[in-house]
Amino acid sequence: MQVPLSRPDISPADRDSVMDVLSGPQLSMGPYTKKFEQLLAKLSGNAYGIAVNSGTSGLHLALKAMGIGRGDEVITTPFSFVASSNVMFFEGAAPRFVDIDEDTLDLSVEQIPASIGQSTAAILPVDVFGQPANLAAIKKISEQHGLKIIEDGCESLGATHLGKPVGHPDYCDAAVYAFYPNKQITTGEGGLIVTSDEHVAKLCVSMRNQGRGDGDHWLLHERLGYNYRMDEMSAALGYSQALRLDEIMGLRENVAERYSALFSAVDGVRTPYIAKETTLMSWFVYVVRFDSRIDRDALMQWLMSEGVSCRPYFTPIHLQPFYRAEFGYREGDFPVTEKVSRSTLALPFFNRLSDEEISYVVDRVKAGIERFGQ
Ligand SMILES: *Cc1c(COP(=O)(O)O)cnc(C)c1O
């Protein structure tokens, strides 16, 4: 059996929406873009939504709109996808990494205050694997120190923290979602910024569209901008998918539950931990952790040869070749992140993963542990 790591789930209604765009005249900046933006703004309790062409573009614009630039430091996690800290360098700012909590895998809030200094401008928490960061506690710290919060919600659309959605204005100044094909909902490529700060929203709208102003002057550029626009086909797909977000989250929850039930009887495997503050988990990937006696890399190679796609989510950002070479980070800098990252494995995970596929994956993991655990 071959089980892929992820697989998009495109419904007939999703296809119809895209075809609807293709049979009309407006392939960019049309009504679907507006509807998609409004839907996600509302879902997150925000006044504004700004669709862009990737999660990375969204993070870049949010950061820039908040005035973060040269010399600024942004507190963030090294246990994430590399884009969450790369965007800081786009603006001459830099990440100030703080290690993670060993259970939730999100930023260790206790360690944030000691890392705040003269140049700290913001905190950028990441909702890793769909589990919201400790947003309420981070908000408290940011208020004490006058820091902005940009939430990377690129893995957590639909999740709630203490009863409020990720991206809520009570938790951050802006948040960003992403829609690459392996995310909860997809637009192919795409992202979306949500905020309730009118000034930030205006700047993001302008900068995604070549720095154009409010008026009708297509060739007047008020500031440096980019082409970060989302096209209308992508927006139609995203809108249609977002309408069935509850259904999608339910399917994913079921898959995660089935995995966790089967793995509960397997020695040496730790299933995902859900924090008590996580009132609704939005499953992005299903990541297990292995006991240190198990050779994760050998097990991973073997699982691939058995048709089970899997990946070591994440390699710590500070140990990426570019970060090591450019900034001198080394092993040992963030011990919890490194320890966790040596033990994790993302298993096949998508809406319509069948019972048979799940059983096969769990069975192969079990067999692999017998081979590669001492
Ligand atoms: C997916 C993701 C992004 C954005 O990725 P794009 O490919 O640019 O859409 C950013 N941060 C995290 C943590 C992600 O998982």
Side-chain angles (χ1 to χ4, degrees), residues 12 48 54 60 73 103 105 117 142 144 172 176 184 241 246 259 311 325 328 332 338 343 347 361:
Y48 309 97
S54 76
H60 178 202
E73 276 188 359
D103 293 321
L105 310 184
S142 84
Q144 285 159 359
C172 62
V176 178
Q184 288 89 333
Q241 293 234 312
D246 286 347
Y259 262 139
R311 214 167 269 170
E338 292 165 27
S343 71
L347 298 173
V361 172

Side-chain angles (χ1 to χ4, degrees), residues 44 46 66 123 125 135-136 138-139 142 147-152 165-177 194-197:
S44 60
N46 278 288
M66 273 173 223
I123 306 176
L135 300 168
I138 291 172
K139 177 69 182 179
S142 84
L147 304 173
K148 298 282 189 194
I149 299 177
I150 299 127
E151 182 183 352
D152 181 338
V166 294
H168 194 279
D170 285 357
Y171 295 145
C172 62
D173 296 281
V176 178
Y177 303 121
V194 291
T195 182
S196 288
D197 182 324

